[in-house]
Amino acid sequence: MYYNKNMFDSLQEKLTKTLRNVQGKGKLSERNMEETLKEIRVALLESDVNYRVVKDFLEKVRQESIGQDVLNSVEPGQLLVKIVHDEIIRLLGEEESGINFKEDGLTSIMIVGLQGTGKTTQAAKLASLLKKKGRKPMMIAADIIRPAAIEQLKTLGDQINVEVFSKGVDVDVLTQVKEGIAYAEEKGYDTVLIDTAGRLQIDEQLMKELKDIKDLIHPDEILLTVDAMTGQDIVNVANAFNDLLEVTGLILTKFDGDSKGGAALSVKAVTGVPIKFTGTGEKISDLETFHPDRLAQRILGMGDVVSFVEKAQEEMDMKQAEETANRLMEGKFTMDDLLNSIEQSRKLGPLSSIMRMMPGMSDMANAINDSAADEELKRIKAIIQSMTPAEREDPSIMRSSHKRRIAKGSGTRIEDVNKLCNQYDKMKKLFKNMSSMKSLFKM
Ligand SMILES: Nc1nc2c(ncn2[C@@H]2O[C@H](COP(=O)(O)OP(=O)(O)O)[C@@H](O)[C@H]2O)c(=O)[nH]1
Ligand SMILES: [Mg+2]
């Protein structure tokens, strides 16, 4: 899970502060414990978590704490962190729940939700995700009140190379869906995503239309998009849809926004419907499978190492990385290798957001000046690019005159060039030592 902005920052800050106060304490007195629980309560409520959810949450934490004999344990503070962490996971849904695909034949997924919550966008994002996983998706335009809505879906379909079935605005919705399904079966698609209409508010007509579609095709999934920015009302909306349609999963959209996040935390607990995906931006690739444990870790400021690694693997050119690693181990390390590794790591995003995903680094991340770090890396890149191939291969051949030329060519100072050369030497030595160790141990 990768967040550009930090929806849960303020909750995280408060919780870590509270939990830090009790961590390291040899013993936790009853009064201490009560105080901590009170602080957690305030933090949750201030972050918009539903009050009943908060009550239940604290009750569970208290019970667990007593059950685990926190008051006498060696490091009660840490245990409390663990208990709170587990309870947050419980809130969010204990396990990941993906799409229920039919073993055989066409899987149908209805996407429902209020207007503007991101149905059409998520339909396309999901189609694209499924396609990447080797499925053959098609989309049906079932929001046919406005021609623009059909156009929007078609444009997205073109972008991701997924066919969109639509007979225009003159056909009624049920016919549209029915013919769409028949068409998908005939064409050998294995998944259809149905982009339905929404309204600004829940109304009878909309609900009837959705119910009729449901009764007609008995979809395998009914996914409800809810806008994380909506706040507390999210829970009411989700309840209303679920009561009528028995929603099978939630997609929390606009997770990249800066709402307080608490409503998003409550929605699973209140409705019982699992969160399946989060929408984290407007781009097609901004849809992520929801991992309760990872979000819980992040909320507690424990970092999100798993996501970090995944993100890294996704973005890095693995083959190139491997080649570089091999060269390093052979004791060959050129300026080009250095440049490559810098460019690879830049693909992960701004330094501060990378740091934020590491355990215990969030304070430091806040202190990082991304633009300064960026400047430094740009400088290094310019310097390396001003070297001749021979110099990149073996920087030790460079004399002062060469360095002056490079400084001039890259718009830097000769001190900058020297600094880079020193860093390079250090790294090279380090890798040499590593490779001699490797041969020593015959790894
Ligand atoms: N920031 C952000 N914007 C989103 C996200 N999902 C959708 N949007 C935007 O929200 C607006 C409404 O989306 P749309 O799919 O048309 O909503 P619909 O009316 O439910 O079909 C569009 O401008 C989308 O680009 C998301 O996850 N994050
Ligand atoms: Mg739409």
Side-chain angles (χ1 to χ4, degrees):
M1 228 173 287
Y2 182 69
Y3 304 97
N4 294 321
K5 287 194 209 137
N6 296 290
M7 177 157 175
F8 295 100
D9 266 8
S10 119
L11 176 61
Q12 195 230 70
E13 226 167 77
K14 287 179 200 138
L15 282 181
T16 30
K17 202 169 138 233
T18 303
L19 291 169
R20 208 178 278 154
N21 283 341
V22 293
Q23 262 187 80
K25 285 230 162 80
K27 271 195 177 154
L28 209 57
S29 68
E30 211 145 323
R31 158 139 21 107
N32 237 334
M33 178 75 192
E34 280 312 311
E35 233 164 64
T36 306
L37 288 178
K38 213 192 267 165
E39 281 172 28
I40 295 176
R41 177 166 183 275
V42 173
L44 292 172
L45 286 174
E46 278 181 353
S47 301
D48 251 3
V49 178
N50 181 284
Y51 73 96
R52 267 179 307 169
V53 172
V54 173
K55 194 161 166 261
D56 184 45
F57 183 87
L58 290 177
E59 194 45 47
K60 286 268 160 51
V61 170
R62 183 177 318 196
Q63 274 171 17
E64 279 292 305
S65 306
I66 295 167
Q68 301 223 15
D69 218 7
V70 161
L71 302 180
N72 301 313
S73 57
V74 194
E75 287 211 51
Q78 277 173 339
L79 194 51
L80 189 58
V81 174
K82 171 75 167 62
I83 292 171
V84 171
H85 170 256
D86 289 353
E87 282 306 310
I88 293 180
I89 292 185
R90 208 181 51 86
L91 261 193
L92 294 169
E94 243 136 315
E95 50 206 66
E96 282 169 49
S97 39
I99 301 276
N100 283 313
F101 291 108
K102 270 209 183 73
E103 294 239 333
D104 246 329
L106 189 65
T107 299
S108 50
I109 303 169
M110 242 175 112
I111 311 223
V112 302
L114 291 182
Q115 191 165 311
T117 51
K119 290 179 296 301
T120 307
T121 319
Q122 314 316 309
K125 289 179 184 177
L126 191 52
S128 164
L129 187 76
L130 295 179
K131 209 176 145 183
K132 280 199 192 120
K133 295 199 167 161
R135 298 197 63 92
K136 293 174 66 189
M138 187 193 92
M139 299 194 281
I140 298 178
D143 179 3
I144 54 174
I145 300 165
R146 298 166 304 134
I150 304 176
E151 274 318 303
Q152 185 194 358
L153 190 66
K154 279 190 172 162
T155 308
L156 290 168
D158 283 346
Q159 259 180 52
I160 56 174
N161 253 318
V162 167
E163 187 171 4
V164 173
F165 181 90
S166 166
K167 305 204 98 182
V169 289
D170 300 326
V171 187
D172 75 283
V173 177
L174 290 179
T175 314
Q176 178 99 315
V177 171
K178 205 167 148 185
E179 288 187 12
I181 298 268
Y183 178 83
E185 272 167 348
E186 187 192 306
K187 287 274 177 163
Y189 287 110
D190 60 17
T191 315
V192 281
L193 295 128
I194 303 157
D195 177 34
T196 65
R199 304 271 196 285
L200 285 174
Q201 262 150 14
I202 293 169
D203 70 34
E204 236 171 88
Q205 206 190 345
L206 169 70
M207 288 309 199
K208 181 173 182 319
E209 179 173 308
L210 297 175
K211 183 81 167 56
D212 286 346
I213 300 178
K214 180 189 173 181
D215 292 343
L216 177 74
I217 61 165
H218 305 291
D220 300 284
E221 292 275 355
I222 302 181
L223 301 180
L224 173 67
T225 55
V226 282
D227 180 339
M229 307 283 286
T230 317
Q232 292 275 344
D233 203 36
I234 226 184
V235 171
N236 303 328
V237 171
N239 266 334
F241 273 92
N242 191 37
D243 286 347
L244 195 87
L245 295 170
E246 291 168 64
V247 172
T248 60
L250 299 169
I251 306 182
L252 292 184
T253 61
K254 311 191 190 176
F255 228 51
D256 48 318
D258 47 12
S259 75
K260 295 192 231 158
L265 278 184
S266 324
V267 71
K268 156 71 174 66
V270 175
T271 61
V273 180
I275 302 166
K276 295 201 168 176
F277 298 95
T278 53
T280 54
E282 300 198 44
K283 290 196 307 297
I284 291 285
S285 55
D286 295 333
L287 183 78
E288 307 188 4
T289 307
F290 183 68
H291 305 284
D293 51 338
R294 294 188 200 171
L295 183 54
Q297 278 170 21
R298 224 188 83 61
I299 289 172
L300 283 183
M302 289 152 85
D304 194 344
V305 184
V306 190
S307 294
F308 170 67
V309 172
E310 242 181 37
K311 177 97 186 153
Q313 283 170 336
E314 215 174 89
E315 303 282 335
M316 290 225 193
D317 183 335
M318 287 312 283
K319 198 156 167 269
Q320 196 174 47
E322 207 172 298
E323 273 167 18
T324 308
N326 283 338
R327 294 169 56 80
L328 293 182
M329 285 308 181
E330 285 162 19
K332 288 179 205 147
F333 179 63
T334 68
M335 283 283 185
D336 276 322
D337 293 324
L338 183 60
L339 187 60
N340 270 337
S341 51
I342 288 174
E343 282 178 342
Q344 292 295 339
S345 65
R346 295 310 287 158
K347 284 188 193 163
L348 295 174
L351 198 53
S352 64
S353 68
I354 297 174
M355 299 277 288
R356 203 161 274 131
M357 288 189 268
M358 314 276 235
M361 293 284 195
S362 57
D363 285 350
M364 219 147 128
N366 292 335
I368 285 189
N369 179 340
D370 276 323
S371 58
D374 235 17
E375 280 310 306
E376 173 73 12
L377 291 178
K378 265 194 209 137
R379 200 158 39 234
I380 292 177
K381 204 171 151 180
I383 295 173
I384 297 178
Q385 279 167 342
S386 297
M387 295 177 184
T388 64
E391 289 165 345
R392 291 189 205 186
E393 189 70 31
D394 182 11
S396 69
I397 63 172
M398 286 191 279
R399 300 283 157 262
S400 296
S401 59
H402 300 147
K403 287 180 183 169
R404 250 194 305 279
R405 188 203 74 236
I406 291 165
K408 210 165 166 210
S410 56
T412 59
R413 297 165 310 166
I414 191 155
E415 297 95 277
D416 295 322
V417 181
N418 280 325
K419 192 171 140 204
L420 176 65
C421 289
N422 285 337
Q423 283 169 340
Y424 166 84
D425 284 339
K426 272 195 203 132
M427 283 171 86
K428 186 162 179 166
K429 239 182 236 134
L430 188 75
F431 290 130
K432 223 187 217 137
N433 289 340
M434 273 165 64
S435 54
S436 55
M437 256 164 64
K438 189 178 157 191
S439 58
L440 204 64
F441 292 109
K442 298 203 166 52
M443 288 195 299

